Amino acid sequence: HQSLSAASMVYNFKVFKKCSPNGKITLYLGKRDFVDHITGIEPIDGVVLLDPDYIDDRKIFGQVVCSFRYGREEDEVMGLNFQKDLFLASEQLYPLPEKKEQNLSKLQERLLKKLGPNAFPFTFNLPPNAPASVTLQPAPEDQGEPCGVQYFIKIFAGESEVDRTHKRSTVTLGIRKIQYAPSKQGRQPCTVVRKDFMLSPGELELEVTLDKQLYHHGEKIAVNICIRNNSNKMVKKIKSMVQQGVDVVLFQNGQYRTSIASMETQEGCPIQPGSSLQKIMYLTPTLMSNKDRRGIALDGQLKRQDTNLASSTLLASPDQRDAFGIIVSYAVKVKLYLGALGGELTAELPLVLMHPKVRTYTFTQYEEYTIESRLFVSQLTDHRII
C-alpha cells in the first residue's frame, strides 16, 4: 500500500464501512485487528454517521460483544444453548448523556471533518484480561458457527442499552483481539532426561535443544537431539513432533493436545549400548497439513480472510486467564523407542509460535486527504517508522 520516493510518500488507509439494513446508521472503523500488548489493549475507536431522520428523536448505543461458543450449534436441542455473549463495553453514543472531552485519533478527526455534523466519534476500551480471538476448527461435516471466541462491535437504535435490538436498525462488524510476538527472544530451550534400567550398568540419556524459543508462523523448527546410550538397551526408533495444547478454561477437563507436525526416523538406529548419536530433525507446523482436523485452534477469523494456526497465548500472569478464554500453547516432544521390553524415553520443550509485529507509521504532515467509500489516500512529506 505504499510507494516511497526521495521527496514524498503515498500511504493508503483502508477504512471499514458498514450500514444498517435500513441505511440510517453507518459505522466507520480504521481497522479490525486490535493488539493486546500485555500491559494494555489498543482502544477501539471509530465514527458513527446517522441519517438526519435519526438526529431528533432516536438514541444510539454502541457495544463491544465477546461471543464464546463452547458447543456445536447443531447439538442445541431442548432449549440448550452453548454460547455466551459478554458485553465488555457498552455506552450511549447519541445523544451524549453528558458533555465529555474526547481524545480523538487522527482518523476520527478526518472522518468527522469529512462526514459533517451528523457523525459522532466513539472509543471503547477492553478489559486487560479479555480473551484472545481463537476459533476451533470444525470437521468438514459440522454445521453452523464454529466453537471459539469472537468479537464484534454492535451499533443500534433503541430506548436503552438492554433494549431488544431490531435487525433493520443495527450494525454489527466483526473484529479481532490479537497478540504479536515479543521483540526479544527468550532463553534457548534445552532439556536433558535420563532413564535407568534394572541390571543395567548405566543410563540412557536424551538431550534436546531448540535453536531458539520464539518462532514465527511458517518457520522451520530445528530440533537438536543428542543421545548417549550407557545402558544395556538398544534405541530402535526416534520420533519428534510439535504439539498444540488447547485449554478451554471454562471446563475443568477442557485441556487437550494435538500433534500438528511430526517425523520419525530409524536413521542411525539401532543405537547400540555404549554408543551415541547426534541428529537434527526439522519440523514446520502449518495449517495446510492440518486441514479439516476437528479441534485444531486457529487464529480468530474474519469473513473472507484466510487464517493460520492459533498464536501462542501470552499472559502477564497465570491467574489472568479469563473464564471464557481459550489458552493456546506449543511444545516439541521427542520420543525414543526401545522395543517391547525397554519402553520409551520422552523429552519435551515449550516454544512460542506467533506473528511478527507489524511495522507501523506515524505521519506529521498531510497534504491531501480524500475519501472514496472505503479507501483514504493521503500524501505526506514527513514520515517516521516506529
Side-chain angles (χ1 to χ4, degrees):
H1 283 317
Q2 60 243 17
S3 58
L4 286 168
S5 68
S8 66
M9 168 178 161
V10 174
Y11 194 87
N12 295 343
F13 286 92
K14 192 173 184 182
V15 169
F16 297 93
K17 171 189 175 184
K18 192 173 181 185
C19 293
S20 59
N22 65 6
K24 305 288 188 185
I25 304 172
T26 309
L27 168 64
Y28 292 87
L29 269 189
K31 56 183 178 179
R32 295 174 75 179
D33 285 346
F34 296 89
V35 182
D36 177 0
H37 299 287
I38 311 295
T39 51
I41 303 169
E42 286 180 335
I44 300 165
D45 49 18
V47 168
V48 173
L49 178 66
L50 302 181
D51 188 274
D53 294 352
Y54 271 28
I55 291 298
D56 296 330
D57 60 345
R58 293 297 185 114
K59 289 181 183 174
I60 306 298
F61 297 91
Q63 295 172 336
V64 179
V65 184
C66 174
S67 181
F68 175 55
R69 173 163 285 284
Y70 52 91
R72 294 189 303 172
E73 213 171 330
E74 60 204 74
D75 294 337
E76 293 181 336
V77 292
M78 307 281 290
L80 279 175
N81 187 5
F82 297 127
Q83 181 174 331
K84 287 196 183 300
D85 286 345
L86 312 172
F87 296 89
L88 302 185
S90 182
E91 57 185 69
Q92 186 172 322
L93 304 184
Y94 176 83
L96 283 173
E98 56 191 54
K99 283 280 181 189
K100 56 177 182 180
E101 268 193 45
Q102 283 184 293
N103 295 322
L104 300 179
S105 66
K106 285 277 186 210
L107 183 66
Q108 284 175 317
E109 285 176 9
R110 297 288 167 177
L111 275 169
L112 292 176
K113 189 176 173 184
K114 195 76 187 175
L115 298 173
N118 293 349
F120 303 93
F122 63 83
T123 302
F124 296 123
N125 292 296
L126 294 176
N129 62 339
S133 297
V134 175
T135 300
L136 298 183
Q137 183 166 256
E141 68 274 11
D142 288 348
Q143 303 290 318
E145 286 286 315
C147 295
V149 177
Q150 293 179 308
Y151 285 86
F152 57 90
I153 289 181
K154 180 179 177 183
I155 310 290
F156 63 95
E159 287 305 310
S160 72
E161 293 177 32
V162 294
D163 212 3
R164 191 174 174 196
T165 58
H166 299 282
K167 268 192 175 178
R168 285 188 54 72
S169 57
T170 301
V171 188
T172 57
L173 184 64
I175 59 172
R176 297 193 303 179
K177 198 211 93 170
I178 60 172
Q179 291 179 322
Y180 286 127
S183 50
K184 291 181 182 173
Q185 280 283 349
R187 294 166 78 176
Q188 185 180 13
C190 179
T191 186
V192 179
V193 291
R194 298 178 181 88
K195 185 172 184 176
D196 53 12
F197 303 91
M198 198 177 288
L199 305 176
S200 174
E203 298 173 317
L204 173 63
E205 183 180 283
L206 168 61
E207 182 181 337
V208 180
T209 310
L210 301 182
D211 49 340
K212 55 185 179 179
Q213 184 193 50
L214 170 64
Y215 295 88
H216 296 150
H217 287 286
E219 216 177 333
K220 195 181 283 184
I221 299 168
V223 185
N224 294 272
I225 301 166
C226 183
I227 302 162
R228 301 175 192 92
N229 189 3
N230 299 314
S231 72
N232 58 4
K233 302 290 180 185
M234 281 194 301
V235 177
K236 299 187 174 180
K237 190 170 68 175
I238 306 164
K239 183 176 183 179
S240 66
M241 66 191 98
V242 179
Q243 290 189 327
Q244 183 191 70
V246 174
D247 180 2
V248 183
V249 182
L250 184 66
F251 301 116
Q252 198 172 351
N253 299 317
Q255 302 91 11
Y256 62 90
R257 281 181 160 201
T258 312
S259 174
I260 53 171
S262 67
M263 174 186 280
E264 56 181 64
T265 182
Q266 291 180 309
E267 195 182 316
C269 298
I271 304 170
Q272 301 287 348
S275 60
S276 60
L277 177 71
Q278 199 143 1
K279 188 172 199 59
I280 300 177
M281 296 176 82
Y282 294 97
L283 298 168
T284 309
T286 63
L287 176 56
M288 194 54 67
S289 53
N290 290 280
K291 277 280 186 197
D292 301 330
R293 292 182 65 194
R294 179 189 279 157
I296 298 282
L298 316 176
D299 274 342
Q301 275 173 290
L302 297 172
K303 280 183 182 173
R304 295 186 293 278
Q305 274 194 8
D306 289 333
T307 189
N308 45 260
L309 294 169
S311 296
S312 299
T313 308
L314 302 182
L315 298 170
S317 63
D319 56 349
Q320 273 205 346
R321 303 187 315 165
D322 189 275
F324 296 102
I326 295 174
I327 310 295
V328 179
S329 59
Y330 291 91
V332 163
K333 200 172 188 177
V334 177
K335 255 186 192 183
L336 304 183
Y337 294 89
L338 313 173
L341 297 174
E344 299 168 355
L345 178 59
T346 304
E348 198 172 298
L349 281 174
L351 62 96
V352 177
L353 183 65
M354 301 189 84
H355 287 291
K357 197 171 186 178
V358 176
R359 274 177 146 190
T360 57
Y361 295 82
T362 60
F363 311 105
T364 56
Q365 184 182 345
Y366 291 80
E367 288 177 351
E368 179 197 340
Y369 202 92
T370 59
I371 301 179
E372 299 294 339
S373 86
R374 287 171 178 258
L375 199 62
F376 291 174
V377 183
S378 67
Q379 190 168 353
L380 44 114
T381 54
D382 184 10
H383 70 280
R384 63 184 186 275
I385 298 173
I386 55 169

